[in-house]
Amino acid sequence: MSDHRVAPVTAHEPPYYAVVFTSVRTEDAEGYGETAERMEELVRVVPGFLGMDQARTPGGLSITVGYFRDLAAIEEWRSDLQHRAAQKRGRAQWYEAYTLHVAKVERSHTFERDPARE
């Protein structure tokens, strides 16, 4: 899309939850892209999913932060059968290491530069 711009997920009214998935991948990327696209499609329809930020360093560290309204939404995503299958394949094939953190967001705000001021 030509009008797509890079921007972080906007702040939501707390409390809500952030699920932080930090990973280092193996050299084997077979099927990873397709699976990642499918997981993004699936998580976006989970009731209570608020958005996702992703970043990757030149050294290969990847960070994905998913935002969810409540723990029930996180549990729905965690227990999705296609997601569980992707997790299993990830441990077997795609990840050298990963860490998962679930945190309650108690404060949140957004800043955006006004393009008219530039």
Side-chain angles (χ1 to χ4, degrees):
M1 291 193 286
S2 60
D3 64 339
H4 180 73
R5 66 184 184 92
V6 174
V9 171
T10 60
H12 294 276
E13 183 64 34
Y16 59 97
Y17 290 84
V19 176
V20 183
F21 180 71
T22 307
S23 63
V24 177
R25 294 211 347 239
T26 65
E27 296 292 320
D28 187 352
E30 181 186 339
Y32 182 85
E34 298 85 358
T35 302
E37 285 179 21
R38 180 63 181 147
M39 293 304 102
E40 190 167 337
E41 289 171 5
L42 288 173
V43 75
R44 289 190 181 283
V45 298
V46 170
F49 175 74
L50 302 173
M52 178 176 15
D53 289 318
Q54 297 175 305
R56 189 173 180 103
T57 68
L61 183 69
S62 178
I63 301 170
T64 301
V65 183
Y67 303 96
F68 296 84
R69 176 53 53 205
D70 52 35
L71 292 172
I74 294 171
E75 179 57 27
E76 183 168 332
W77 174 235
R78 190 186 75 76
S79 62
D80 179 272
L81 293 179
Q82 289 182 62
H83 182 213
R84 303 226 9 124
Q87 290 173 326
K88 185 176 180 179
R89 187 170 178 192
R91 285 188 296 273
Q93 180 180 352
W94 297 317
Y95 297 115
E96 288 291 336
Y98 68 80
T99 304
L100 181 76
H101 305 277
V102 177
K104 186 174 186 179
V105 176
E106 296 182 359
R107 191 173 74 143
S108 183
H109 70 273
T110 296
F111 165 81
E112 278 192 50
R113 185 168 311 284
D114 182 355
R117 295 186 62 185
E118 294 180 358

